[in-house]
Amino acid sequence: MFGSLLIAAPMAGGTSTTALATAAASAGALGFLAAGYRSVQEVAEQIAATRAGLAGTSSFGVNVFVPGETGLDPAAAAALAAYRAVLEEEAQRCGASVGPIPQRLDDEWPEKIELLCQDPVPYVSFTFGLAPTGVVRRLQRAGSIVLASVTTTAEALAAQETGVDALVVQHPSAGGHSAAFLPAPGTSGQGFADAAELVRAVAASTTLPLVGAGGIGTPAQAKAALAAGARAVQLGTALVRTPESGARDLHKNALADPRYTETAVTRAFTGRPARALVNRFVREHSAHAPEAYPQVHFLTAGIRAAAAAAGDAGSLNLWAGTEWRHARADPARDVLAGFLKEL
Ligand SMILES: Cc1cc2nc3c(=O)[nH]c(=O)nc-3n(C[C@H](O)[C@H](O)[C@H](O)COP(=O)(O)O)c2cc1C
């Protein structure tokens, strides 16, 4: 199904690159591009560059954000306005501006689906929600294997209804945004110690092939997820420090900086829960950041850009899974080959 036991996770925001996808293939893993936040034109260019880099011999995938309901009820709008006022103070401090929030909040979804139907890639995965059955069918007819990201058994069953070929089962220890799309009491997947346990629970309710993700920092953790029933495992944070990752140096260095001692799930940067290293911004804003994605993402974009330019990691979204300490700065090919050797 995946041609490999190991997948280089899609990581939007610049971390996933053509170089990372091709390095993954050269190690015998499956690489992914991340379409999130990119224009459809950029995605088309990355697909073309990846095909050229792979010379047609290896496979790769493209991950797409599924847009959700972006309308805000009066309470959420008020919470967003209050957060905007807090962020104005942040922005003044670093000479940035807050916002603006664009008219269009769908991440160019229709154009991206059209591109992937017209110019298909071997694998398409979705996160933040479910692609409608019609979209899943179109992509499958075009020749793609379609994956949905889920965080609970309930989400797995809902995804199965849409006709997808496989599921990425993401444990809450994962770095970056949670893929959760159904309301769950507390953090999705809570109650399962790790990706292996969550995979075992989901495998009991569906026969779809599963990819285990979240908190896989060592080959032993990968093996546990495979033994629990996953057909492959997906590594995110473990690849962020590699030279092929397009993450900022500030982010890469923070992952190796002993002054960071924990990660937390926060809405402070984007309005959607995401796991990051705990820095000043996370400490100061997690308590009052509203649930308003992608509005908060756009409100904080200028602050994050100014922080990056000023070398201030304290105001950046330092996405990291709980196993971040295992992330190494070695070439991606070596990191992935090191895992594969032991699986
Ligand atoms: C920097 C970063 C960006 C990410 N961006 C995406 C994304 O665009 N789409 C997606 O489905 N998952 C995204 N994720 C989640 C990964 O695909 C994967 O599920 C997660 O990294 C696995 O957990 P780990 O970080 O503990 O390995 C991102 C993760 C990180 C660390």
Side-chain angles (χ1 to χ4, degrees):
M1 156 77 51
F2 304 116
S4 176
L5 294 174
L6 205 52
I7 296 176
M11 293 184 278
T15 303
S16 286
T17 59
T18 294
L20 189 52
T22 50
S26 75
L30 174 62
F32 258 84
L33 299 174
Y37 306 131
R38 291 197 184 279
S39 70
V40 69
Q41 183 60 36
E42 287 170 329
V43 177
E45 286 166 10
Q46 271 208 323
I47 290 172
T50 303
R51 279 200 192 109
L54 295 174
T57 54
S58 302
S59 217
F60 69 101
V62 173
N63 173 260
V64 184
F65 290 171
V66 180
E69 177 53 59
T70 53
L72 299 178
D73 63 31
L80 186 66
Y83 194 43
R84 180 191 275 272
V86 173
L87 293 174
E88 294 286 359
E89 289 172 30
E90 276 278 345
Q92 265 179 7
R93 254 199 282 170
C94 62
S97 56
V98 174
I101 299 172
Q103 284 277 305
R104 244 188 110 169
L105 297 174
D106 67 355
D107 201 39
E108 298 193 20
W109 163 264
E111 290 90 343
K112 286 175 186 173
I113 296 305
E114 215 42 52
L115 169 73
L116 292 169
C117 288
Q118 299 302 323
D119 187 18
V121 296
Y123 297 87
V124 176
S125 73
F126 291 106
T127 190
F128 298 173
L130 296 177
T133 300
V135 168
V136 173
R137 287 222 185 95
R138 278 187 73 202
L139 291 165
Q140 288 167 332
R141 275 201 299 270
S144 298
I145 290 173
V146 181
L147 297 92
S149 305
V150 302
T151 63
T152 60
T153 299
E155 289 181 350
L157 294 176
Q160 181 171 285
E161 290 293 304
T162 68
V164 293
D165 300 294
L167 303 174
V168 177
V169 178
Q170 188 201 50
H171 185 264
S173 52
H177 284 113
S178 163
F181 57 88
L182 290 179
T187 313
S188 288
Q190 213 171 33
F192 297 103
D194 54 21
E197 275 201 18
L198 181 60
V199 162
R200 191 170 290 114
V202 173
S205 65
T206 177
T207 53
L208 286 178
L210 307 180
V211 177
I216 296 177
T218 65
Q221 288 163 335
K223 267 196 220 171
L226 293 169
R231 294 274 190 95
V233 291
Q234 180 162 289
L235 305 185
T237 303
L239 297 169
V240 173
R241 290 185 64 210
T242 64
E244 294 85 354
S245 144
R248 293 185 173 103
D249 285 342
L250 273 176
H251 187 177
K252 292 183 178 183
N253 295 340
L255 288 169
D257 186 336
R259 284 174 297 178
Y260 294 97
T261 56
E262 57 180 335
T263 64
V265 174
T266 181
R267 290 195 300 248
F269 296 105
T270 68
R272 168 181 264 283
R275 188 174 289 281
L277 291 177
V278 174
N279 60 2
R280 181 194 64 81
F281 201 94
V282 173
R283 267 192 298 272
E284 291 184 11
H285 299 306
S286 292
H288 50 257
E291 194 171 334
Y293 179 88
Q295 287 89 343
V296 175
H297 163 80
F298 290 109
L299 289 187
T300 64
I303 294 168
R304 288 181 281 126
D312 168 23
S315 306
L316 268 190
N317 52 317
L318 304 170
W319 298 151
T322 57
E323 299 301 301
W324 89 96
R325 291 259 196 250
H326 296 289
R328 301 202 319 264
D330 299 339
R333 184 191 165 117
D334 296 351
V335 172
L336 292 162
F339 269 81
L340 277 170
K341 200 172 62 184
E342 298 198 37
L343 299 183

